[in-house]
Amino acid sequence: MSAEAADREAATSSRPCTPPQTCWFEFLLEESLLEKHLRKPCPDPAPVQLIVQFLEQASKPSVNEQNQVQPPPDNKRNRILKLLALKVAAHLKWDLDILEKSLSVPVLNMLLNELLCVSKVPPGTKHVDMDLATLPPTTAMAILLYNRWAIRTIVQSSFPVKQAKPGPPQLSVMNQMQQEKELTENILKVLKEQASDSILVLEAALKLNKDLYVHTMRTLDLLAMEPGMVNGETESSAAGLKIKTEEMQCQVCYDLGAAYFQQGSTNSAVYENAREKFFRTKELITEIGSLSLHCTIDEKRLAGYCQACDVLVPSSDSTSQQLTPYSQVHICLRSGNYQEVIKIFMEDNLTFSLPVQFRQSVLRELFQKALQGNEALDEICFKVCACNTVRDILEGRTISVQFNQLFLRPNKEKIDFLLEVCSRSINLENPSDSLKGNMASFLKNVCLGLEDLQYVFMISSHELFITLLKDEERKLLLDQMRKRSPRVNLCIKPVTSFYDIPASASVNIGQLEHQLILSVDPWRIRQILIELHGMTSERQFWTVSNKWEVPSVYNGVILGIKDNLTRDLVYILMAKGLHCSTVMDFSHAKQLFAACLELVTEFSPKLRQVMLNEMLLLDIYTHEAGTGQSGERPPSDLISRVRGYLEMRLPDIPLRQVIAEECVAFMLNWKENEYLTLQVPAFLLQNNPYVKLGQLLAATIKELPGPKESRRTAKDLWEVVVQICSVSSQHKRGNDGRVSLIKQRESTLGIMYRSELLSFIKKLREPLVLTIILSLFVKLHNVREDIVNDITAEHISIWPSSIPNLQSVDFEAVAVTVKELVRYARSINPSNHSWLIIQADIYFATNQYSAALHYYLQAGAVCSDFFNKAVPPDVYTDQVAILCQFLREIDYKTAFKSLQEQNSHDAMDSYYDYIWDVTILEYLTYLHHKRGETDKRQIAIKAIGQTELNASNPEEVLQLAAQRRKKKFLQAMAKLYF
């Protein structure tokens, strides 16, 4: 035995139970000890850590000899690492609650995509197009797991999350966090775009009536074997962990309910769907029982959802006496009966039945309405806030920030109402000591906060005050009030400038942070920050909410501001402005940006230009979402500012790529092609890919009327797009016959990535520009060698007819892009016949003939007034002919062959009235006579006998007869499909 072998044997025999932390995954990989490790009571590292590390190692890019970064190699080690990650998830029984709690969105996305791959879900196929009932059980379950996770992630992303308080900022850590945040955003964007498909998949799953199976560690091992050794076990209906139909439906119903409930905030009708799913979940839980191993539903949360649905969608048979306090409050808010809400809240101060969070949410809703200009709600806000404050102090909580704000300027009416609430909120016949003490302390503190002794005497002479405080306490309080020095009310000074606002009295930091998150008033934001910085100098308040996001290109400039208060204020104003712009709240976004511009103008020319750029983008968004929708051209000064931005050459100004993207799209949408073609500076074409793309598109449109030989720009645009759609290397099949599961990376030689190009195109609305882009991608799709049926498109002839290196083009990506672009174009104009023809051709090329016929008919209908006029010949060409007799030269050979097919007999005679060619009718008569079909023969003879089909008629009469039958036939077909 060699010394090396002896050392290895000794190391194996004396190996500790837990391997060293630095090489534990190599240990598990080489020794296949994963199952043994997972069976430990408290394995270290934990299972979820194993998943993260396995996938991180498997997805590490490699570097070749030329120091170029390459995709992760498809080798045995990486395939085993992915398999190990899947096995750990299988050990956890694919419990999404556990996986979501411990894994980030990117990691879980990678894991579930690997599960789809090993479960034989065809790549590139939309899940909504697959029939779950015909798929193997493990394949169907993998699709359900992915789509359940997709909508759960969308729902979870809508919840506010308070960010953990970070330590001192470290650039490397911040960059890593920013990268993960951007990756998560990109995944969420895709999930949200596919949300409707995911919901349809899950709705389809509820119709399944068979048990499903999910992969276990054993079935995953079987998949890793040679194909000949599996014996079909993983394809059978009994392989894997059995998930009963009821358990699967229970989980799916709950997740769908949560998704519908989240959508209800923008579409209240969807709450009915949520209610139906949640109550079905409750029924299924009762059927399954609480001991289910594979169905884990948070029943407390489910009960909350059901209660909320009862409020939002009350049952039709419920009477006013049966309504819960929630329902009563909700109905009052919708009807504007706010006095009844106040009454309910005062009654609840005795019973404590409504949760504090619910009462606070009602107050927030009223505040929001008041901020939108409804001044009549100011008094209601104070009264509801007073009710909530009394409830808080009775339960021992601190006074809220809102109450301090609303009570800064007390008057007789406010004090009268406050005393009424206090009196009706405590039963003086049998109060507990804690309630008496809390109420007495509150009234004393209110007195101490009042400067007008008249108001103090109003409280001190009230029956409740006299009952709760002893004589000595009252006398001591009044003496203290008389002797104290008068205080200056800081809020009496009128506010004249953004910089003149003083800070109000100190309150709890947590409450102020809460106000900071909610406020969109720049002056109020500054006031809160002044108060917070007066309480502590150790906090970075720009980190209070993880929803405050500033583009990474601006981080260095903003976080480099030395003054802590100014840094926090600039960051928060910009983050809130960007958020308001995203949710199309343009008026608040403009206020926030204007305040930020005023602030940074004093000390940073660089940030001033940044804010001017962001305000330009905001003005573009405002116009496009407003008057631009109706076709009104933008004002000339906005077009001038867009040109100025594109031509800007200020050094060291951080620039967001999206602003250039929107500016170029803006110029194309408003047909500023002359500028893009002739006036764009040369340096812009070299440095900005979107300007280059816009210039090529504008020049191609300008050259359209000219001869083909003069269209040099079209060739340049073609070459640019071909380069964008190229890949750096090809897939290779391994020695073991497996195909790599890792997608090849796009070529870095293009001026931008394909996803960036698609994102840019989806900002365009000008029909001619979209038509040119569509025709380019259709032509690129058609040049591949294995295409059987070409797709047609307008202006397709302007593009080259071949590519020197076909292998370099990612044609799968091109096909996906064509489908995406057609879908987008039809969302802009559903009645554009050339786009409808492209959609029909796509379906025809993929053998989806029914869908293809639907869009061919739709294209004909929109350009012929529902076939009341002749369909233009450039729409229904010979390639699109629906019947042989529609061709310019009738194809009798195909017609006779089709009529002989046995599957054409069912009710075929009902269409004889639509045939105008006598030769075809005569052949039908002969065919029915030969088959002995007397009735059908008579129908054909009757059709021939119609006078307008007589061959002796003038040509005009024959053409009119044919046109009339075409119209009737096409209208009949359209009624079947529309």
Side-chain angles (χ1 to χ4, degrees), residues 573-574 576-595 610-626 638 641-642 656 658-659 662-663 666:
L573 288 174
M574 179 179 282
K576 283 179 174 283
L578 290 169
H579 173 73
C580 288
S581 176
T582 302
V583 300
M584 301 182 72
D585 183 1
F586 299 128
S587 60
H588 280 123
K590 195 158 190 173
Q591 292 174 15
L592 290 158
F593 281 167
V610 164
M611 290 314 305
L612 289 173
N613 296 344
E614 290 296 334
M615 292 183 80
L616 169 63
L617 181 60
L618 178 64
D619 287 343
I620 291 174
Y621 286 155
T622 305
H623 179 267
E624 298 295 85
L638 181 55
R641 287 166 60 202
V642 170
R656 279 211 294 159
V658 69
I659 304 181
E662 290 287 352
C663 285
F666 177 84

Side-chain angles (χ1 to χ4, degrees), residues 623 627-634 670:
H623 179 267
T627 55
Q629 293 279 5
S630 59
E632 182 178 330
R633 278 190 63 80
W670 296 106

Side-chain angles (χ1 to χ4, degrees), residues 909-942:
D909 51 304
S910 62
Y911 291 95
Y912 288 177
D913 285 341
Y914 302 129
I915 299 176
W916 61 85
D917 186 80
V918 176
T919 304
I920 294 177
L921 287 169
E922 288 174 344
Y923 182 79
L924 279 169
T925 306
Y926 159 75
L927 195 62
H928 290 315
H929 175 73
K930 183 179 176 181
R931 293 173 178 167
E933 297 168 346
T934 307
D935 293 342
K936 293 184 178 180
R937 178 174 175 271
Q938 288 301 321
I939 296 172
I941 291 173
K942 183 181 177 182

Side-chain angles (χ1 to χ4, degrees), residues 19 118 135 175 197 220 320 413 437 473 497 545 665 755 763 778-779 796 821 848:
V118 302
L135 295 176
N175 287 339
D197 286 353
L220 290 168
S320 58
E413 289 74 19
E473 290 179 306
S497 167
S545 172
S755 58
K763 299 180 189 303
V778 166
K779 184 67 174 183
I796 199 168
L821 291 180
Q848 300 180 67

Side-chain angles (χ1 to χ4, degrees), residues 86-190:
L86 292 171
K87 289 176 73 174
V88 176
H91 168 74
L92 298 172
K93 295 184 172 56
W94 299 100
D95 190 327
L96 287 180
D97 288 334
I98 296 174
L99 296 174
E100 289 170 340
K101 190 179 296 183
S102 307
L103 299 179
S104 65
V105 170
V107 171
L108 194 44
N109 180 56
M110 195 185 311
L111 178 72
L112 292 175
N113 273 294
E114 288 299 329
L115 175 64
L116 292 174
C117 288
V118 302
S119 300
K120 301 184 180 178
V121 176
T125 304
K126 298 180 79 170
H127 296 171
V128 73
D129 295 335
M130 303 179 75
D131 184 1
L132 296 177
T134 62
L135 295 176
T138 50
T139 306
M141 195 63 197
I143 290 174
L144 289 189
L145 271 172
Y146 178 86
N147 287 282
R148 280 184 58 217
W149 167 76
I151 64 171
R152 287 163 65 109
T153 304
I154 294 169
V155 171
Q156 190 62 36
S157 69
S158 67
F159 297 155
V161 179
K162 186 170 181 179
Q163 204 171 28
K165 296 177 182 177
Q170 298 179 10
L171 190 58
S172 60
V173 175
M174 287 177 62
N175 287 339
Q176 184 178 353
M177 289 171 61
Q178 184 65 28
Q179 288 173 5
E180 182 169 331
K181 184 183 292 184
E182 289 174 358
L183 184 55
T184 302
E185 284 175 355
N186 291 336
I187 294 171
L188 274 172
K189 182 180 177 183
V190 173

Side-chain angles (χ1 to χ4, degrees), residues 539-552:
R539 292 286 307 280
Q540 298 173 350
F541 293 104
W542 61 270
T543 64
V544 164
S545 172
N546 67 343
K547 298 292 184 183
W548 293 342
E549 296 173 358
V550 165
S552 55

Side-chain angles (χ1 to χ4, degrees), residues 150-159 188 192 195 199 254-268 270-271 274 278 305 309 312:
I151 64 171
R152 287 163 65 109
T153 304
I154 294 169
V155 171
Q156 190 62 36
S157 69
S158 67
F159 297 155
L188 274 172
K192 288 176 181 177
I199 288 175
Y254 180 74
D255 293 336
L256 278 173
Y260 287 139
F261 193 88
Q262 186 237 351
Q263 292 176 356
S265 59
T266 55
N267 181 8
S268 57
V270 183
Y271 282 129
F278 285 134
Y305 272 130
C309 288
L312 297 166

